[in-house]
Amino acid sequence: MSVLESRVSENPYEIRNEAHTIMDKYVYVYRTGTGLEQGLRELRALHRRAFRHVDDQAMEYNSNFINVLELESMFEISEIILVGGLNRTEPRSAHPRADYPTRDDEHWLKHTLVYYKANEPRLDYAPVTITNYQPTERHY
Amino acid sequence: MRVGETFKLRVRRENPATNTGTTYQEFDIPYEPGLTVLEALLHAKESFDHSIAIRFSCRMASCGSCGMLINGLPKLACYTQINETSTATITVDPLDHYPLVRDLVTDFQGFFEKHKTVSPFLLRQNIAEQETSKSEYYQTNSELDGFLQFSYCIKCGLCNAACPTMANDSKFIGPQALGQAYRYVADSRDEGAIQRLKAVDHEHGIWRCHFAGSCSFVCPKGVDPALGIQKLRGLTLSKSSASRAGTSLMPVKTK
């Protein structure tokens, strides 16, 4: 059944607000392994809720339809952020891990690649090409 | 209005494609300090009726998507706070002088077509030089001051919705495009003034404006299109003598 015909009852906009709250709480500035695991559990539970329906049945400028599709994509992207962050056991730029305070170039000087797979994303890694600027530790 | 109080938001609903007529729908919205009309509309959409059609993007008066009539005046919904309006009920309608898509969303296709007719980009005589330029084109502060305010246009179209001439003449180029014509004509780096003045020198161009000034009154970015149109008229009237002399159309500075 398409999302336009679905008749489930939960308000997708409220689900979106809850997803914001989860991401804000566990994945925002400071991250920890336990926090990210908890965030992933809560986000997956939220993703299973019955929000996939569109009240607006018009064929013209139907932003309700777009919003529901966007929410589905937000869940996928949020999961990628959570899983990628959980695996990277070091802090790096916008990913400060409170439980791993020191940057680890030996193991983690590499890009995280994420591929779509049913149920959960598949992770892979690619080497970093270093050109003019050598990686150094950041001091503030 | 205080926190905890609610106000009435009256939203015009209409879908021309289904021919179901025009209705107004009322919502009770809880007030909070700083609440904008756009946020109130999104509250209504997210909590009460998901089918309200609104166009918006940046929420900070820089994209120009959420223009609408708020208590009858063309305004940006994101740039109008609830406590700016003095009425207990706030009524929102789609912009005048644009075809209606649905509810508060209007069709800007014709608006952008008119904008294109004035070549809203730097024109240079030597195009090869422009395409391969090795440095910036220099400009003094006073040269910049000559057109700076016109460059703040965000193409929200409020001026065209306020313009009484747009209401009478659907072919009128309109204050937005004319203001932008002046923005480039007045730019010291631009060399396309003659071409641009030709594009606006006709009965649906600069001569149609009767200087109501409502375009400048409603502009949320402080642009004065009415002034630009008067300046274009002045330049057009002096065009022949200027081109004979082979000089710039802008006033020549005496040393």
Side-chain angles (χ1 to χ4, degrees), chain A residues 2-7 53-65, chain B residues 13 15 18 49-52 102:
Chain A
S2 88
V3 72
L4 279 166
E5 295 157 344
S6 161
R7 290 290 173 271
H53 68 106
V54 179
D55 286 2
D56 188 354
Q57 295 294 308
M59 289 294 122
E60 299 77 28
Y61 213 91
N62 189 336
S63 49
N64 184 203
F65 179 44
Chain B
R13 305 298 307 274
N15 187 351
T18 56
D49 187 341
H50 297 177
S51 70
I52 304 170
R102 193 185 150 198

Side-chain angles (χ1 to χ4, degrees), chain B residues 93-146:
Chain B
D93 287 281
L95 287 178
D96 284 334
H97 314 153
Y98 294 89
L100 182 65
V101 176
R102 193 185 150 198
D103 297 345
L104 301 171
V105 181
T106 45
D107 181 2
F108 268 45
Q109 192 65 40
F111 172 86
F112 290 125
E113 294 298 331
K114 285 172 178 171
H115 185 222
K116 277 184 199 166
T117 63
V118 303
S119 307
F121 39 82
L122 279 192
L123 289 168
R124 303 280 289 189
Q125 295 301 321
N126 188 343
I127 292 168
E129 181 274 333
Q130 186 180 15
E131 293 297 327
T132 56
S133 180
K134 298 270 188 304
S135 72
E136 304 89 344
Y137 297 135
Y138 294 118
Q139 192 160 55
T140 65
N141 283 339
S142 61
E143 283 169 337
L144 176 67
D145 287 342

